[in-house]
Amino acid sequence: MAAERMADKSEEPRRATPAATPSAAPSVVPSAAPAGPAAEPPVPPARPLDSIDRDILRILQTDGRASIRSVAERVHVSRANAYARINRLVEDGVIRGFGARVDHERAGQGASAYITLKIVQNSWRTVREQLQALPGATHIALVSGDFDVLLLVHTPDNRALRELVLTRIQSIPEVLSTRTLLVFEETDLGPRPDRPAELA
């Protein structure tokens, strides 16, 4: 899928060194990062998942509104067992939350874009905190390569998108440059019953 590219902010004379290369999920702060506004809670060690855990994850990813009884019946365990397993998956951070998959265009968010950012070295935590507060920001990732951060945003229209980039993002002191990739069409590839290998 082609995407329109528009340079949003001129680069500084020196090229930004990537803040860090994540070795785990983006929510894990690299150890080299300076102390930020507040220390993050420690992430509990991951416990191995068995086939029943994976079946439960598959069901909840497909239908987050599935009842405990329905989940228990489908994975052939008692309701108490299913309840305990789901609670453990939540406590371990495997399940980070429950929500709805939204058609952003039908919900009034007609403009979508991926925005790449180059940032000052070791400023990831500070930048991430400010990006999380942006209206319409739905995904933020610290990445390796020609840029440091990848941000997905949904806004009501292109004018709102322009304001978001030029007024909000480029005003962050640690952001050296940005590039906006407009999304013309997107397809949600969430788990489906016809893909049994998911999470296998």
Side-chain angles (χ1 to χ4, degrees), residues 114-133:
Y114 286 95
I115 302 170
T116 68
L117 297 83
K118 291 183 182 179
I119 62 176
V120 173
Q121 186 174 10
N122 294 330
S123 65
W124 161 240
R125 290 181 62 182
T126 300
V127 172
R128 181 183 60 185
E129 185 175 89
Q130 297 180 75
L131 295 179
Q132 287 174 331

Side-chain angles (χ1 to χ4, degrees), residues 5-66:
R5 299 176 178 225
M6 54 183 180
D8 297 317
K9 187 176 182 181
S10 59
E11 293 184 30
E12 300 293 333
R14 61 181 178 79
R15 183 183 181 279
T17 303
T21 300
S23 58
S27 61
V28 179
V29 179
S31 58
E40 296 188 354
V43 178
R47 286 184 275 189
L49 305 182
D50 61 20
S51 60
I52 295 177
D53 291 328
R54 295 181 186 279
D55 286 343
I56 290 173
L57 289 177
R58 242 182 247 117
I59 292 168
L60 294 179
Q61 283 184 294
T62 304
D63 179 10
R65 300 176 66 186

